[in-house]
Amino acid sequence: MSKEQLSKSYNPIEFEDEIYERWERSGYFKPEVNPEGKPYTIVMPPPNITGQLHLGHAFDGALQDILIRWKRMQGYSALWLPGTDHASIATEVKVVEKIREEEGKTKEDLGREEFLNRAWDWAVVYKKRITDQFKKLGASCDWDRERFTMDEGCSEAVVETFVRLYDKGLIYRGNRIINWCPDCKTALSDAEVEYSEQSGNLYHIKYPIGGTENEFIVVATTRPETMLGDTGVAVNPEDERYVKIIGKTVILPLVNKEIPVIADDYVDQSFGTGAVKMTPAHDPNDFEVGLRHGLEQIRVIDDAGMMNENAGVYAGLDRYEARKRIVADLKNQGLLEKIQPHTHNVGACYRCDTTVEPLISRQWFVRMEPLAQPAMKAVRDNETKFIPERFSKIYFNWMENIKDWCISRQLWWGHRIPAYYCQECGELIVSKFSPDVCPKCGSSRLVQDEDVLDTWFSSALWPFSTLGWPENTEDLKKFYPNNVLVTGFDIIFFWVARMIFSGIEQMGEPPFSDVYIHGLIRDGEGRKMSKSLGNGVDPLEVIEKYGSDPLRFTIVTGNAAGNDIRWYDEKVIANRNFANKIWNATKFVIMNTENQEIPDEETARKNLLSMDKWIISRVNTLTKEVTDNMDKYELGIAASKLYEFLWNEYCDWYIELVKPRLYNDDESRGAAQFTLLYVLKNSLKLLHPFMPFITEKLYLALQENEATIMTSKWPEWREEDAFQEDENSLLLVMDIVRTVRNIKAELNVPPSKKISMYVIPFGADKHDIIAENEKYIMNLTNATTMKFIEKTDIPENTTGGIIDGAEIIIPLDELIDKAKEVERLNKEKANLQKEIDRVNAKLSNQGFVGKAPQKVIDEEKEKKAKYEAMFNNVVEMLRKY
C-alpha cells in the first residue's frame, strides 16, 4: 500500500466512511483474519427494530468494539456477531400506529397475514438503518454473520426450545394470575412491569357478618372495583379478634351474597384491620390463598380494562369509573367506614405506561424453579462473573424470588406458539412441525395457538441460536460459550438471567464467562435522556459534526464499569481537539522522518539519549498498564491514561525536547527520529480500539509495509524498554522547566521572555543529569545562559524555586521592571486592604452576624482568610524589593 496522505488538519468526514468500506471489503472484521488464534466471542445485544440508535446504543457498541479490536490485535480469532431483535410488543405498536395514521385502518381490518407482511416491511427498513448507524460508529462486526431474532435459523431454535421444555414438563398452559396491559391487550411477564410510587387511597369497607345484626368485619383495599369478584375474607388463625368467626360467612356488599371467612398464615394481623378480602381472579397472593382453600375464581374486569358481565350493574364501565360508582354506593349504604390517603407501588406496562391489571387468564408459562437453581449456582461458582461484582446481587435477588414466567402474548408479530388444538376432541399437540392429523382422534381439523411468544424467549437463546443451534455447526463448536456480554444494568433480569438459564439448559454450560455491566448516559444535570425532557443527543449528529472517534472517546474516557456518565458537549469538543493534537504530532513526525534514512532499531538503540529512553520507557509502562486495565474491563481508565500520555508526555514534552536534535546531522538525530516513530506507532496501536479511524489513517501515513493497523500486533511490555533511571532523570528536567514557567506565570511574564538561569544541583548525580540535558532545558525555558553555582554564590535581587534535586535561581531584573512592579504591588496591596476592611466591618456588625444565615457568615470568613493570605503574599514580594 502507498502511504496515506494527511490534510492540513483533522477532518474526519474526509476519511471515516472510506476507511470503513475498505475494512469491510478486506474482510478484517471476520475471525478468519486470525485463523489459528484462540476464539474470542461477543454477541451484540440486539437493538429493537423500532427506531434509530440513541446514545446508549453508541455507548454499548463502543465498549464492545473496543474489546473486540483489542483481542483481534492480540491475535485472537475474534468474532463480534451483530443482529437485531424483532421486539414483539414495541414493533407491533409502531406498525399499528403507522397503519392507522396512513390508512385509517386497524390491524384487524388488514387481517393477520397482511399485517405480518407490513411488519416484515418495517423490519427490513429498520434493520438496515440500525446496521448503517453501527457502521458509522466504526463497529467492526462480522456483518456476513448478522442475525435477526425472527430469521429462519433463530426461529427454528425457538421452536426447538419450546418443544424440548414442554416435553420435560417445564412449559405448561394454565389459568394463573398474570400481568395484563389493557392498552396493548396482552399478558406481560413480571420483568415487563415497571413499578413506581403513586398517591392513592385506602378504602375501609364494612362486610356484614352473616347471621348477626350490625356486626361487621372491616377490610381495606386500594382497588374497591375488584370487590365484586371477592369469594372470601381471610384472617390469621392466631388473631384472637377473629377466632370466633373463622368458618362463618360475611355478606359481600353490593353483591349481597355470602362468602366464607377463612384462616391463613399469609395474613399479617398487624397490618390494617388484620382482615383481607380475597379476590383470587385479580390478585396473585389471593390466587395462591384461594387455591389452598378452594375459593371460586370470579373475573370482573375484561381485557380492555372494562367491567365485565360478572360486575352486575357496573358492567360496561371503565375500571376507574366503576371505582367511583362503587365507592359512592358503599357510602350511601353506610358500608364505607373511611378513606385514607395511601402511597403504594403501582405497576405499569414497560412499553405504553398503562397501569397493569392483575387478572386470571389462561396462558403459557415456563416453570422457573428447576431452571433458576443451576443458573444461580453458575454465578455463585464464578462460572459467570458480573463486572462490577455488586450487580450479581440484582441477579440473585430476582432469581431467588422468581415466579413462573408467562411467555404467551396476545399479539401477531412474533414467534407463534407451536401448539395445535384439535377441533374435534380438544387434544393439545405441541410439535416442531405443523401436524396434519390429531394423534388422538385422527381429525384434520387442527388450529394453531393464536398467541406469540414473549420477545425475551427468543432473546434468551441469542448466544447460541445465532451460532447455528440446534445444528451443531462449526461456529457453534468454536465460538460457544461467548467470552463476554456487554449490557446495561436495566436488563439484568429481562435478558441476562434468561440467557444464563437457557444456555445451561440447552447447551450444558453458561453462555458467557463475563457480564460487563455499564451504566446510563445522562445529561449534564444528571437526568436520564428522554423525548419528554428534550435532552436526548443523536449520536449521528455528533459524528457528523465531530467525527466518530471523538464521540467514542467521550463516552468511554474516565468511566468506570457500572457507573452512569454525564454528557457534556465540551467533552466531545475537547476530544476532537485531542484528535487534532495527535494528527498534528504525526504530521510533525512525518515531516522530520519522511524520505530520510532512519537507522534500524539496533543502531538507533546504541545512540539513545536519556530523553529517548524516558519516553520509550513511559510507553512501555503505558502498554502494561493499559493492557492490565483492559483485562479488568477498566476501559475508561485506560482511555484516560492514553490521553494523558499522548497529549502531555509525547506531544508537549518529548516532541518539544527533541526538536533541536532534528536539525543536527549526527547519531543523535537518527536516534530521535527512531524514537519518535517507535513511540508514536506503539501509541497509535494502544489507542486504536478506542479511536479506530484516526489511528488507521495516521498509522498508514507513517509507513507503507502494512495494510491496516487493525491486524497489527498489540504492543507488549518489554524488559529491554524499561529505563527507570532515565525516567527519574527526565522528571528532574521537567521539574526545572515547570518551575521556570511557573515563576514567569506568577510574575505575569510572557513565556517567551529571555532569561538567565542559575542552578544549584543537590549532588553530583543531579549535576550530571542537568548537564546532559542543559541545551534542552535552555530551549524549553528560553534561557540564554545556564550556570551551575554554589549556595553561597546566589546573586542579589533574584527569585527562584526549590525542587527535588536542585534549586533554580533567576535574576529578577531580567524578568520585570522593578519600579513598575513595586508600583503594581502597592496598588494590589491597597485594594486587598480595602477588601479586608470591608469584610471585617461586616463580621463586626452584630446586626449582620445576628440575622445572616450561618452559610453566608462562613463565606465572609473564607473571603477574609483568602484576602489576608493574598495580602501577606504581596507584602512578602514587596519585601524582596
Side-chain angles (χ1 to χ4, degrees):
M1 284 186 63
S2 60
K3 285 187 178 181
E4 291 278 345
Q5 298 301 307
L6 301 184
S7 57
K8 183 178 180 182
S9 60
Y10 170 66
N11 186 10
I13 202 166
E14 292 178 351
F15 58 84
E16 286 191 347
D17 288 347
E18 179 274 323
I19 284 176
Y20 193 91
E21 287 167 12
R22 175 160 47 80
W23 281 338
E24 192 174 7
R25 189 172 62 249
S26 301
Y28 295 143
F29 300 160
K30 294 181 169 299
E32 287 80 9
V33 296
N34 292 321
E36 304 304 317
K38 185 180 177 182
Y40 183 89
T41 321
I42 300 175
V43 292
M44 176 189 289
N48 293 343
I49 53 159
T50 49
Q52 64 181 29
L53 300 183
H54 53 65
L55 208 52
H57 291 114
F59 186 25
D60 197 72
L63 295 172
Q64 292 171 78
D65 196 44
I66 288 166
L67 292 171
I68 211 76
R69 286 179 181 273
W70 168 51
K71 287 298 180 182
R72 188 183 290 122
M73 292 175 75
Q74 285 190 320
Y76 284 81
S77 182
L79 170 63
W80 183 15
L81 195 151
T84 45
D85 195 301
H86 68 283
S88 190
I89 295 178
T91 302
E92 181 149 325
V93 167
K94 292 278 189 182
V95 176
V96 166
E97 285 176 359
K98 185 173 186 287
I99 293 167
R100 186 181 66 243
E101 289 171 4
E102 294 180 359
E103 304 175 46
K105 293 180 178 178
T106 65
K107 69 175 188 178
E108 288 77 16
D109 292 334
L110 296 182
R112 186 167 192 147
E113 186 176 347
E114 180 56 26
F115 176 79
L116 290 177
N117 288 336
R118 305 292 181 88
W120 274 106
D121 290 343
W122 173 284
V124 169
V125 171
Y126 280 91
K127 279 196 297 176
K128 184 179 185 306
R129 181 178 295 184
I130 288 166
T131 297
D132 290 345
Q133 289 167 342
F134 266 115
K135 289 180 178 182
K136 291 290 283 185
L137 186 68
S140 59
C141 305
D142 185 349
W143 295 107
D144 290 339
R145 284 176 165 94
E146 184 177 6
R147 303 303 300 269
F148 178 50
T149 48
M150 279 183 62
D151 67 27
E152 186 177 348
C154 289
S155 297
E156 183 185 347
V158 167
V159 172
E160 178 76 23
T161 301
F162 188 97
V163 173
R164 286 189 184 190
L165 293 177
Y166 179 81
D167 289 345
K168 291 180 71 172
L170 293 174
I171 282 182
Y172 64 92
R173 189 172 184 241
N175 286 308
R176 294 184 65 86
I177 288 285
I178 51 97
N179 306 295
W180 182 266
C181 176
D183 186 53
C184 296
K185 293 185 176 58
T186 184
L188 302 172
S189 70
D190 291 341
E192 293 169 312
V193 179
E194 295 180 344
Y195 289 91
S196 63
E197 234 179 40
Q198 294 183 16
S199 297
N201 292 313
L202 198 57
Y203 301 89
H204 293 255
I205 305 168
K206 298 192 290 187
Y207 284 41
I209 298 173
T212 67
E213 290 288 333
N214 294 322
E215 287 188 38
F216 305 92
I217 188 168
V218 178
V219 300
T221 181
T222 58
R223 300 162 65 218
E225 65 276 12
T226 64
M227 67 177 289
L228 305 176
D230 285 2
T231 55
V233 171
V235 298
N236 191 290
E238 305 297 322
D239 196 333
E240 295 179 0
R241 294 172 293 177
Y242 302 118
V243 169
K244 291 181 180 178
I245 62 168
I246 292 172
K248 295 187 177 181
T249 60
V250 293
I251 308 300
L252 180 60
L254 306 181
V255 180
N256 291 323
K257 76 171 184 180
E258 290 190 0
I259 56 175
V261 177
I262 61 171
D264 196 280
D265 290 332
Y266 155 73
V267 180
D268 180 358
Q269 54 186 309
S270 65
F271 181 77
T273 64
V276 181
K277 61 189 276 308
M278 289 286 108
T279 320
H282 290 282
D283 182 277
N285 295 313
D286 296 359
F287 176 81
E288 297 296 336
V289 174
L291 290 179
R292 289 197 289 272
H293 296 272
L295 298 181
E296 188 181 1
Q297 299 165 352
I298 301 174
R299 183 172 159 179
V300 295
I301 300 174
D302 68 15
D303 290 353
M306 311 292 283
M307 307 307 290
N308 67 13
E309 67 280 2
N310 293 325
V313 297
Y314 306 100
L317 295 177
D318 171 80
R319 52 185 168 160
Y320 299 116
E321 181 59 34
R323 180 181 297 177
K324 294 177 188 173
R325 299 266 190 99
I326 288 168
V327 169
D329 290 347
L330 288 169
K331 194 172 184 179
N332 290 336
Q333 294 182 25
L335 295 175
L336 185 65
E337 185 178 77
K338 62 180 176 179
I339 302 175
Q340 282 182 310
H342 180 64
T343 301
H344 59 134
N345 277 332
V346 177
C349 174
Y350 81 117
R351 282 298 172 194
C352 68
D353 207 33
T354 300
T355 298
V356 165
E357 192 64 49
L359 48 80
I360 197 164
S361 179
R362 192 163 181 77
Q363 301 286 342
W364 288 92
F365 297 87
V366 175
R367 206 178 303 280
M368 285 307 308
E369 203 276 336
L371 295 170
Q373 291 305 319
M376 285 190 286
K377 184 178 185 298
V379 176
R380 285 197 188 99
D381 293 349
N382 279 329
E383 291 180 71
T384 296
K385 296 187 291 291
F386 281 83
I387 298 106
E389 195 276 332
R390 68 179 186 270
F391 285 100
S392 63
K393 294 174 185 174
I394 297 174
Y395 174 82
F396 285 125
N397 184 56
W398 194 68
M399 293 293 269
E400 286 164 359
N401 297 285
I402 202 163
K403 296 177 183 175
D404 286 357
W405 174 17
C406 177
I407 54 171
S408 45
R409 298 290 181 271
Q410 289 62 55
L411 302 165
W412 287 354
W413 175 244
H415 297 99
R416 197 164 173 181
I417 291 173
Y420 304 84
Y421 306 98
C422 178
Q423 299 298 286
E424 293 290 341
C425 69
E427 178 72 358
L428 167 64
I429 307 127
V430 171
S431 171
K432 287 189 276 188
F433 309 102
S434 178
D436 295 322
V437 296
C438 172
K440 185 176 180 182
C441 71
S443 171
S444 59
R445 293 183 60 226
L446 303 175
V447 294
Q448 187 173 356
D449 197 302
E450 290 287 322
D451 292 350
V452 299
L453 287 163
D454 178 8
T455 293
W456 300 101
F457 190 91
S458 53
S459 303
L461 316 179
W462 192 245
F464 50 93
S465 65
T466 52
L467 296 170
W469 188 88
E471 299 299 321
N472 191 26
T473 63
E474 291 303 312
D475 271 6
L476 186 65
K477 285 185 275 188
K478 182 172 183 177
F479 296 111
Y480 188 90
N482 310 160
N483 292 81
V484 61
L485 172 76
V486 179
T487 189
F489 65 80
D490 50 337
I491 55 173
I492 288 175
F493 39 81
F494 271 124
W495 191 40
V496 180
R498 289 167 175 164
M499 280 192 288
I500 293 175
F501 69 66
S502 296
I504 293 171
E505 174 65 22
Q506 304 304 335
M507 297 294 297
E509 59 182 322
F512 25 72
S513 52
D514 294 336
V515 181
Y516 173 49
I517 301 291
H518 61 75
L520 302 175
I521 298 185
R522 300 184 179 275
D523 70 9
E525 297 176 32
R527 301 175 301 175
K528 189 173 180 178
M529 291 184 176
S530 67
K531 288 181 181 177
S532 59
L533 290 174
N535 62 347
V537 175
D538 182 350
L540 293 181
E541 289 181 7
V542 177
I543 290 171
E544 192 69 27
K545 191 172 182 180
Y546 300 109
S548 174
D549 290 330
L551 167 65
R552 289 167 62 115
F553 211 66
T554 297
I555 53 184
V556 172
T557 310
N559 178 248
N563 292 352
D564 292 346
I565 63 172
R566 294 192 180 190
W567 174 268
Y568 298 99
D569 288 343
E570 294 80 3
K571 281 177 68 179
V572 76
I573 293 169
N575 287 319
R576 190 190 191 285
N577 293 342
F578 172 58
N580 199 54
K581 181 93 169 178
I582 56 177
W583 184 275
N584 289 335
T586 305
K587 286 189 68 180
F588 172 83
V589 172
I590 291 170
M591 182 176 69
N592 286 281
T593 58
E594 195 171 34
N595 300 322
Q596 298 182 42
E597 193 172 326
I598 311 298
D600 60 39
E601 184 168 350
E602 184 180 351
T603 304
R605 283 182 177 272
K606 293 174 183 175
N607 298 301
L608 295 178
L609 298 189
S610 187
M611 66 177 70
D612 305 324
K613 293 178 181 178
W614 161 71
I615 198 69
I616 288 172
S617 188
R618 288 296 302 128
V619 80
N620 193 41
T621 301
L622 179 73
T623 296
K624 183 178 187 305
E625 290 181 356
V626 166
T627 305
D628 288 347
N629 291 140
M630 303 275 271
D631 275 328
K632 294 186 282 189
Y633 297 101
E634 296 170 346
L635 308 187
I637 296 173
S640 296
K641 287 178 179 177
L642 285 162
Y643 180 98
E644 288 299 318
F645 173 81
L646 274 161
W647 188 294
N648 294 323
E649 296 184 69
Y650 185 74
C651 293
D652 284 358
W653 281 106
Y654 183 70
I655 286 180
E656 293 305 314
L657 280 165
V658 88
K659 277 180 180 177
R661 295 165 59 194
L662 298 172
Y663 308 124
N664 301 330
D665 190 13
D666 57 15
E667 293 90 349
S668 170
R669 179 182 183 222
Q673 290 172 317
F674 164 79
T675 305
L676 281 168
L677 285 165
Y678 178 81
V679 174
L680 181 56
K681 286 178 184 178
N682 278 331
S683 300
L684 291 174
K685 288 180 182 181
L686 295 173
L687 185 62
H688 174 70
F690 300 88
M691 302 181 85
F693 290 108
I694 189 173
T695 50
E696 173 85 347
K697 185 75 173 175
L698 299 181
Y699 188 75
L700 296 184
L702 290 169
Q703 58 190 19
E704 51 191 334
N705 60 346
E706 289 191 48
T708 179
I709 195 173
M710 278 186 65
T711 55
S712 64
K713 190 173 184 298
W714 181 258
E716 294 178 352
W717 185 86
R718 306 199 317 174
E719 189 171 353
E720 61 266 35
D721 280 356
F723 302 110
Q724 190 58 53
E725 191 175 317
D726 295 279
E727 284 198 43
N728 296 337
S729 297
L730 259 290
L731 285 177
L732 176 57
V733 172
M734 293 159 72
D735 279 348
I736 292 171
V737 174
R738 282 195 199 97
T739 300
V740 174
R741 288 174 174 176
N742 289 341
I743 290 169
K744 287 183 177 181
E746 287 169 10
L747 295 172
N748 295 315
V749 174
S752 58
K753 178 80 173 177
K754 298 291 184 183
I755 60 163
S756 299
M757 181 165 49
Y758 302 98
V759 179
I760 305 171
F762 301 159
D765 57 333
K766 300 296 189 288
H767 177 281
D768 293 345
I769 292 167
I770 297 168
E772 180 190 339
N773 293 281
E774 179 177 347
K775 65 181 178 182
Y776 310 113
I777 294 171
M778 291 173 65
N779 181 57
L780 292 179
T781 57
N782 276 303
T784 53
T785 61
M786 189 178 94
K787 295 179 182 177
F788 291 100
I789 63 172
E790 298 293 331
K791 187 78 172 174
T792 54
D793 297 330
I794 297 176
E796 292 288 320
N797 194 27
T798 59
T799 186
I802 298 175
I803 58 174
D804 183 15
E807 183 173 354
I808 314 303
I809 312 295
I810 303 173
L812 271 172
D813 291 342
E814 296 188 12
L815 290 172
I816 55 176
D817 182 318
K818 184 176 178 181
K820 285 184 178 178
E821 184 64 11
V822 169
E823 182 183 352
R824 184 187 72 80
L825 289 170
N826 278 321
K827 280 183 182 178
E828 192 172 339
K829 179 184 173 185
N831 289 334
L832 287 167
Q833 186 62 60
K834 284 180 186 176
E835 291 298 327
I836 292 168
D837 292 344
R838 184 187 62 77
V839 175
N840 281 334
K842 257 190 175 183
L843 292 174
S844 61
N845 183 337
Q846 293 305 310
F848 169 77
V849 175
K851 294 178 182 177
Q854 188 60 44
K855 182 183 176 186
V856 174
I857 295 170
D858 290 342
E859 286 173 355
E860 291 299 319
K861 287 180 179 178
E862 286 175 15
K863 286 179 187 175
K864 179 183 176 183
K866 180 180 75 171
Y867 292 141
E868 286 177 343
M870 292 169 70
F871 182 86
N872 292 334
N873 188 46
V874 170
V875 169
E876 177 61 24
M877 292 175 75
L878 281 167
R879 188 187 63 77
K880 291 179 180 178
Y881 292 120

